[in-house]
């Protein structure tokens, strides 16, 4: 296991909307308003992931969001 750096975050819903918070530990990397037209997120912050660091995706404000897909890209 080694340190990582998040380089990309993609998220989109099949229908409906929600809010997504990508976090490293308690630090927010990106907050996205998710819809059928969202996709690649820009302006990522707090992208360093330490060894054994935890990455979480917290979904809130769900308004009938379905088929939410996401990916997190990283380098070592």
């Amino acid at each position: 296991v080694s340190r990582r750096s998040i380089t990309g975050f993609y998220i989109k819903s099949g229908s409906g909307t929600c809010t997504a918070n990508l976090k490293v530990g308690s630090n927010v990397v990106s907050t996205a308003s998710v819809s059928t037209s969202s996709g690649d997120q820009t302006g990522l912050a707090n992208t360093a992931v330490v060894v054994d660091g935890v990455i979480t995706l917290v979904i809130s404000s769900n308004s009938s969001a379905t088929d939410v897909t996401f990916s997190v890209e990283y380098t070592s």
Side-chain angles (χ1 to χ4, degrees), residues 2 22 47 56 63-64:
S2 63
L22 180 66
T47 58
T56 57
S63 180
S64 302

Side-chain angles (χ1 to χ4, degrees), residues 4 12 21 31 38 57-58 68:
R4 304 277 186 221
K12 187 174 184 175
N21 282 301
T31 298
S38 58
L57 180 64
V58 179
V68 175

Side-chain angles (χ1 to χ4, degrees), residues 5-7 9 22-24 27-31 41-49:
S5 181
I6 295 174
T7 58
F9 175 43
L22 180 66
K23 296 181 176 185
V24 172
N27 298 316
V28 175
V29 175
S30 178
T31 298
Q41 303 301 303
T42 59
L44 303 179
N46 304 306
T47 58
V49 183

Side-chain angles (χ1 to χ4, degrees), residues 5-74:
S5 181
I6 295 174
T7 58
F9 175 43
Y10 173 94
I11 189 161
K12 187 174 184 175
S13 68
S15 66
T17 61
C18 64
T19 300
N21 282 301
L22 180 66
K23 296 181 176 185
V24 172
S26 62
N27 298 316
V28 175
V29 175
S30 178
T31 298
S33 295
V34 181
S35 68
T36 58
S37 62
S38 58
D40 288 325
Q41 303 301 303
T42 59
L44 303 179
N46 304 306
T47 58
V49 183
V50 298
V51 174
D52 296 327
V54 176
I55 299 171
T56 57
L57 180 64
V58 179
I59 303 293
S60 61
S61 302
N62 187 350
S63 180
S64 302
T66 61
D67 300 322
V68 175
T69 59
F70 73 95
S71 66
V72 176
E73 300 172 351
Y74 60 89

